[in-house]
Every structure is written in structure tokens, then in C-alpha cells.
Amino acid sequence: MTRPNLQVALDHSDLPSAIKAIKTVGDIVDIIEVGTILILQAGDQAVRCIRAMYPDKTIVADTKCADAGGTVAENVQKAGADWTTVICCATIPTMKAAAEKIAAVQVELYGDWTYAQAQLWLAAGIRQVIYHQSRDALLAGETWGEKDLAKIQKLIDMGFQVSVTGGLDVDTLKLFKGMAVYTFITGRGITAAQDPAQAATAFLDEIKAIWEA
Ligand code: 5RP
């Protein structure tokens, strides 16, 4: 089974902090996410800076776009993003318009969504979804468990590349053993660690230990 990618999410509230963080882990991770919080604060300048620093990395602009998909995707693509995100309640025309302007669109699964909708995303040519435990759900006491694994497996079986995110730590990864997860996305598990480079390496080593064993 192919090993899942490791993606770091830069959810900083200002660009200098994000730049400081990525300098320590950018060469370790597979994918760099300009997180929603950072995009809202620093806009496409954040994407431009990270692209200038890492010309060869896959960069995701996590816009969680709900409307004007074509315009938003085109703007972040021009700034240097490879992929962008749309929220799962966005309309199919919004998703299709975004997909026409950038190499890949990822559907962010929050709140209520159905497998019937997911089938429509596939029919629209979208191949990637992001399965979340939201910050606020985690704060309210939610944890990763069987209910999540079953939904993730079903999405994989439908043909999606599934990224998994939300409060992940190194110990959480073994829950997903045996599953063809596409990417693990970690924000605070890396960027808020005392030694972010060591934390990123620990995530990557654990992914390799589980999926390359
Ligand atoms: C929140 C996000 C985060 O970037 C992603 O889930 C990483 O979060 P965490 O800090 O919990 O690892 O997309 O909407």
C-alpha cells in the first residue's frame, strides 16, 4: 500500500509566524497547506511567499470556498497554489468552476453531507475529499473512532483520495492502519510542538513504520 503523504497546515494568524514555522519543516513534509486562518488574514500574498520559498512542493490554498469557485481558484492558482478546497455544501457548478481553474479541488467534509452528494462530486470530476474532525468538534469533546473509520473507508471504496485531519497526533495514526489514506494533514501537532522539525519527522517516521512495514 502506498504510504500516505504528510501535509502541514499553516494556520497562523500572521504571515511572519507562518514563514518562521515553515522554514523548520518545509523540507520534511510532502505537502504545504496555506491554512484557512492564514488565507483569511494574509490573502494570496501568503500563497505567493510559500511558493517562492518552496518552488517544487505541492501547495494547497485552503480557501474552503463556498461560492465564486472559478474566481477563487484562479486567484490562488495564479498565486502559486496547486490545489484548493471547497466546502461540501457548495453547489456542483461552484466545484466544477473551481476545478476548471486549478490542478485539483478537494471537498472539505464538515457537518452534514451524503454519499449521494459524494457521487455527484465524482461525476463532476472531483477526486479528492478531506475528512475532518473540526477544531470546534474536538473542543466539544469529539474524538477519532470507528464511526470515522467506516466513513473514510467508504469514501476510499467509492474511488476518492481521502485526506484525514483534525487534532491528529503521532499516536492517532495507528488507528488508520491498513487503510489507503491519501494524506494526513497536521497543523498544531507540528507547528505548535516545542520542536516542530522533530514533530514532523516523528509523524513521517510513524507513517513509514505503519504503511511501509
Ligand atoms: C481546520 C483545518 C486545519 O488546517 C487542519 O484540520 C489541521 O488542524 P489541526 O491543527 O487540528 O491539526 O483545515 O479547518
Side-chain angles (χ1 to χ4, degrees):
M1 193 177 283
T2 312
R3 91 155 163 81
N5 297 302
L6 176 61
Q7 176 172 327
V8 68
L10 301 173
D11 281 313
H12 300 79
S13 293
D14 64 273
L15 187 50
S17 306
I19 289 172
K20 188 170 168 211
I22 199 60
K23 276 184 182 166
T24 64
V25 301
D27 290 328
I28 300 168
V29 301
D30 302 298
I31 301 169
I32 301 171
E33 170 189 324
V34 180
T36 312
I37 294 170
L38 183 58
I39 290 256
L40 287 171
Q41 294 298 106
D44 72 351
Q45 198 198 352
V47 181
R48 286 180 203 283
C49 278
I50 303 297
R51 172 53 75 207
M53 292 171 73
Y54 294 94
D56 301 323
K57 287 273 172 183
T58 299
I59 295 178
V60 185
D62 187 13
T63 60
K64 293 186 174 64
C65 182
D67 196 6
T71 305
V72 172
E74 185 174 21
N75 288 343
V76 294
Q77 188 277 332
K78 282 183 177 160
D82 300 291
W83 303 345
T84 195
T85 63
V86 294
I87 197 75
C88 56
C89 58
T91 63
I92 295 294
T94 293
M95 294 184 188
K96 275 187 171 170
E100 279 169 18
K101 300 291 182 184
I102 197 160
V105 167
Q106 302 175 296
V107 179
E108 294 262 8
L109 305 177
Y110 279 101
D112 294 327
W113 54 273
T114 65
Y115 295 108
Q117 280 175 293
Q119 206 60 59
L120 296 177
W121 305 333
L122 280 175
I126 286 166
R127 290 287 170 270
Q128 295 199 43
V129 294
I130 303 178
Y131 188 92
H132 268 271
Q133 291 276 14
S134 75
R135 282 184 176 221
D136 297 333
L138 290 163
L139 279 174
E142 283 279 331
T143 53
W144 288 98
E146 284 303 325
K147 64 179 190 331
D148 305 300
L149 302 186
K151 289 183 198 167
I152 292 166
Q153 189 57 55
K154 180 149 183 176
L155 290 162
I156 292 170
D157 292 343
M158 288 175 77
F160 286 106
Q161 293 174 318
V162 183
S163 296
V164 169
T165 189
L168 295 177
D169 58 33
V170 171
D171 288 339
T172 326
L173 299 177
K174 57 179 166 303
L175 269 178
F176 303 92
K177 186 179 172 147
M179 298 176 73
V181 171
Y182 184 57
T183 298
F184 287 106
I185 306 172
T186 306
R188 293 161 294 174
I190 292 176
T191 59
Q194 209 164 16
D195 183 339
Q198 191 183 55
T201 303
F203 268 99
L204 196 56
D205 286 349
E206 180 71 352
I207 290 171
K208 287 179 179 168
I210 296 172
W211 275 271
E212 292 179 352

